[in-house]
Amino acid sequence: MWVVNGNRFPHYINGGAMKLVYVNEEVCIGCGLCEVYCRLEHSFSKDLIKSFKKEPLHPAPLLRVERREPISFAVTCRHCTEPHCIYACITGALQRKPESGIVTVDEGKCTGCWTCILACPYGVIRQEKHRGKITKCDLCFEKEIPACVANCPNEALTYAEIQDEAII
C-alpha cells in the first residue's frame, strides 16, 4: 500500500492491486464527456438522446469535473482503504465487494440520511433527491473499462493498477 499526502492507496485485492480511475490533469480540457458517458452508462435506455431528453428520472453522473482554469480534472470515488463513508453509513447500505474492493451502494438499504456524504473526504458521493438515495462511482463494474475512461477524448483518464508511487 502506498501512502501519498496522507492518503493510502491502491487496495490490494486477491494478491493484486485494485484498479482505479486516475486523472492526468495536464491533458484534461474539462470537456465533461466523462460526465456525459457516465450518465449514459447508468441510464435506463443506454441511448444518448433518450437518456438526456426522454427519461423521466435522469441519472446523475457518478463523477464530476472540476474546472479551475488553467487546470481541469475529473473527481471520482477513490474506493478508499479506510472508507469513512462505509463507517458512517448507519444502515449498512455502503459495502465493499470483497472480490474487487469496489465500494458499492445497496439502494434497498439506503435511507437518504446523507451521513456518508458528510464523511467522504473527496466529496464524491451525490444526493439523488428525487429518489431519496445516494449515488457514487461503481467503476462500471459490469464493464471491463469504466465509461468515463473509455470515452475520454484526450486519454486524461486511466483505469489501472498503480505499481509505482511516482505515478500517483
Side-chain angles (χ1 to χ4, degrees):
M1 174 182 347
W2 304 112
V3 178
V4 179
N5 297 330
N7 297 310
R8 292 187 266 172
F9 48 122
H11 318 288
Y12 288 90
I13 307 299
N14 297 331
M18 179 181 167
K19 284 185 157 186
L20 292 174
V21 175
Y22 295 93
V23 64
N24 179 352
E25 67 275 356
E26 292 178 12
V27 295
C28 178
I29 59 172
C31 66
L33 284 175
C34 53
E35 293 172 309
V36 170
Y37 281 98
C38 176
R39 184 171 166 177
L40 176 63
E41 179 61 31
H42 292 89
S43 70
F44 295 109
S45 66
K46 308 289 190 236
D47 177 271
L48 187 60
I49 302 302
K50 288 179 184 175
S51 69
F52 278 81
K53 296 284 189 176
K54 298 183 179 176
E55 289 182 9
L57 299 177
H58 305 292
L62 306 183
L63 76 159
R64 73 176 187 281
V65 175
E66 290 287 330
R67 294 168 180 90
R68 306 279 189 249
E69 294 297 330
I71 296 174
S72 298
F73 53 91
V75 181
T76 186
C77 180
R78 306 308 309 148
H79 301 275
C80 302
T81 302
E82 297 292 329
H84 298 293
C85 59
I86 290 177
Y87 302 149
C89 182
I90 60 174
T91 64
L94 285 166
Q95 302 170 1
R96 181 188 304 283
K97 289 182 173 249
E99 67 279 1
S100 65
I102 297 171
V103 176
T104 61
V105 181
D106 180 339
E107 292 183 1
K109 291 182 178 179
C110 180
T111 61
C113 69
W114 319 132
T115 56
C116 56
I117 293 173
L118 296 171
C120 176
Y122 297 102
V124 295
I125 300 174
R126 294 185 162 202
Q127 296 176 345
E128 283 202 349
K129 290 182 183 177
H130 63 277
R131 293 182 11 186
K133 309 283 182 189
I134 59 111
T135 188
K136 60 171 287 312
C137 176
D138 59 5
L139 293 174
C140 298
F141 64 88
E142 293 134 0
K143 300 184 85 152
E144 189 173 325
I145 298 173
C148 60
V149 174
N151 293 285
C152 180
N154 285 6
E155 298 178 357
L157 299 176
T158 306
Y159 186 56
E161 294 177 2
I162 297 301
Q163 302 297 331
D164 183 358
E165 184 175 7
I167 295 174
I168 297 175

